[in-house]
Amino acid sequence: MELPRITFTVWSDVLCPWCQNVVVCLERLQDEVRDRIELELRWKSFLLRPYPEPKPMDRFRRYTESWLKPASQPDAGEFRVWATDEPPPSHSIPPAVAVKAAARQGDAGRYRRAIMHAYFARNLDVTSRDNILLVAREGGLDPEAFALDLDDPALLDEVVADHREGVEAGITGVPCVLLAGGFALPGSQDRAVYRNILERLVAKQAE
């Protein structure tokens, strides 16, 4: 029997704490319903910090205290207030390109989770090429192919195209889930909210 298929298109940024929660939440929902609904998650890049911006360490450490709020969500990723001497990440593009590079090896989902965990829980600068490569090696990716792909301008073009597509769709912040018909659901919602929307979309599809 063919399962009903629903697509959620999700715009996110690796440097966004609420986006980490959406990754965790939607992947758990996907696992929860997989026996009766084929939930396809299409991930798109949205650049909250498209250009390098220096941040003083003391101000950045204070900023990471705000991660305790998303950490309190039921389907939260792991967060730790910045406790290393790693510098603040400079901008959104390097980790976004890295996720695209991992996708070329069929591993975008696991790498996305790992690079977010490296930032929010391990307190690593995920704009550092060394750290980006470290996460790839730890995840079992081909390091040579991955390194070459990081330098492929086509992947940067993909990231920028994702961002522009989101802006043209009216998205101004992330996380944001775009549903069929152009309905946008902004913010990090509880799993029950996504589940309810999913069930309603399946019921409508069956009409």
Side-chain angles (χ1 to χ4, degrees):
M1 178 179 174
E2 187 174 347
L3 299 178
R5 180 172 183 163
I6 302 295
T7 299
F8 284 4
T9 303
V10 191
W11 271 266
S12 67
D13 187 319
V14 168
L15 302 185
C16 164
W18 297 102
C19 292
Q20 181 178 219
N21 285 3
V22 164
V23 170
V24 172
C25 182
L26 290 182
E27 289 188 349
R28 286 178 179 173
L29 178 62
Q30 193 177 44
D31 286 339
E32 176 189 324
V33 303
R34 71 171 58 254
D35 290 339
R36 56 191 182 85
I37 303 171
E38 186 180 348
L39 174 58
E40 180 186 9
L41 301 176
R42 292 182 183 170
W43 297 94
K44 301 277 189 174
S45 301
F46 194 91
L47 304 173
L48 292 176
R49 295 174 60 191
Y51 306 107
E53 302 174 25
K55 275 191 175 181
M57 179 60 86
D58 57 344
R59 190 176 72 175
F60 177 69
R61 287 190 193 278
R62 289 195 300 272
Y63 154 71
T64 66
E65 293 173 6
S66 69
W67 295 352
L68 297 178
K69 187 171 183 180
S72 67
Q73 273 198 312
D75 285 305
E78 185 179 349
F79 294 90
R80 180 173 66 149
V81 174
W82 207 260
T84 70
D85 292 326
E86 290 267 317
S90 58
H91 60 309
S92 301
I93 287 177
V97 169
V99 172
K100 297 287 189 185
R104 287 188 171 175
Q105 298 188 39
D107 204 14
R110 185 166 61 170
Y111 188 84
R112 181 183 297 104
R113 292 190 301 274
I115 197 72
M116 285 182 157
H117 185 266
Y119 179 41
F120 294 111
R122 298 169 65 184
N123 295 165
L124 297 179
D125 170 15
V126 293
T127 57
S128 157
R129 187 179 180 91
D130 287 346
N131 287 334
I132 284 171
L133 291 169
L134 171 66
V135 173
R137 289 195 301 273
E138 290 175 342
L141 296 179
D142 179 333
E144 292 185 4
F146 185 82
L148 287 173
D149 286 335
L150 287 179
D151 297 324
D152 185 347
L155 291 188
L156 175 57
D157 290 344
E158 286 184 31
V159 168
V160 173
D162 281 358
H163 180 83
R164 287 177 177 164
E165 182 184 348
V167 171
E168 290 169 2
I171 293 169
T172 58
V174 288
C176 187
V177 179
L178 194 67
L179 307 172
F183 176 74
L185 183 65
S188 176
Q189 307 293 332
D190 287 344
R191 198 189 324 177
V193 173
Y194 296 118
R195 184 190 303 114
N196 181 54
I197 290 172
L198 180 62
E199 299 286 0
R200 288 165 60 187
L201 289 172
V202 169
K204 185 175 181 179
Q205 192 179 85
E207 292 176 354

